[in-house]
Amino acid sequence: MMNSAKLSNLTQEQLEGLAVQARSYSQGGRLPDYIPLLAQVNPEWFAVQINCTNGQIFRVGETEIPFVLMSVIKPFVLLCLLEEMGREAVFSHVGMQPSDQPFFSIEQLEADKGWPRNPMINSGAIALASLLPGADGFSRCENLRQWLNKRAGANLVLDKAMLNSVVAAGGGRNRSIAKVMFEFGFLNAPEIAIDTYNHICCLAGNISDLAKLGMLLAQEKAGISREHRRIVNALMMNCGLYEASASFAVKVGLPTKSGVSGALLSIVPSAGAIACYSPALDYIGNSKAGIFFLEKFTNSLNLSVFI
């Protein structure tokens, strides 16, 4: 059976049963205390929305609660730049190689002589943030926000309170990452790049907005190039969960991207998008309940790009 048929055969009862299991699994997770406002959210929140290419929509949980995307925005920065600049131009600034180090690793970056390994870790995303059009972080973020909302039919907004919290936290590691790339000649105007990165990570929406973004990568939509969708999905598969990406590909087999807000997005190519939100994180920095849900969900429906 094709993945599209498997996904559309889902029932609301199945989804609700899996959500109950996943919600309980969030216990024992942690909130990211290095961003003060993220540390104040309810760790028991849980929401899922599944959009299918045949138009079916399934949802459960706190579906109206807004949340910031954080690193889940990274695939869409890549998608936007691929569409606007082309493959060769984009990958002259960032690599395509997975990393077995944490997403904020300075040691990895120094070993690579300032070359950012892929667009899904912080160094790569900061490098791509420097390529977005606009004079400053706000205008670059606004251009990206409008580009995504127009093509996905989403309603992303900039969470200014979260942005203030991120800026107040200092972002020392990201500044060090930008400094290394600048010193090796792989980044211009590091302050604007960091400001842009902070802004775009604070784009926010609810679970429906996240699922709509996912559909840009799941199906022919809004004139997005098939090649560019394939590139983004491949990098999500190889790099989207950082050092957990390889084991997750074996267990689940879907392109997936996480964020420290607890946002999680999986793509079922030609079938649909699975959006999750649960703020409590595991030791790597991925949503604890979200990862659990995706493993149980995909196994119960026998979903994978490898089948």
Side-chain angles (χ1 to χ4, degrees), residues 134-142 192 195-197 199-200:
D136 54 25
F138 174 79
S139 60
R140 292 178 181 184
C141 177
E142 183 63 12
I192 297 177
D195 187 40
T196 304
Y197 179 76
H199 273 76
I200 62 179

Side-chain angles (χ1 to χ4, degrees), residues 34 39 43 63 84 95 103 123 130 133 141 155 159 161 167 212 230-231 235 237 247 260:
Y34 55 90
T63 56
E84 298 300 314
F103 59 86
S123 58
S130 73
C141 177
N155 187 33
D159 187 330
V167 172
K212 288 176 181 177
R230 179 182 58 78
I231 290 171
L235 284 165
M237 176 73 80
S247 61
V260 296

Side-chain angles (χ1 to χ4, degrees), residues 164-218:
N164 290 336
S165 186
V166 168
V167 172
R173 291 194 72 91
N174 283 341
R175 292 188 179 279
S176 296
I177 285 170
K179 182 174 182 289
V180 171
M181 288 194 292
F182 176 74
E183 289 174 347
F184 278 100
F186 292 117
L187 185 67
N188 296 319
E191 286 299 322
I192 297 177
I194 289 292
D195 187 40
T196 304
Y197 179 76
N198 289 339
H199 273 76
I200 62 179
C201 285
C202 292
L203 286 174
N206 59 24
I207 202 69
S208 176
D209 294 308
L210 183 55
K212 288 176 181 177
L213 287 181
M215 294 303 282
L216 291 178
L217 299 172

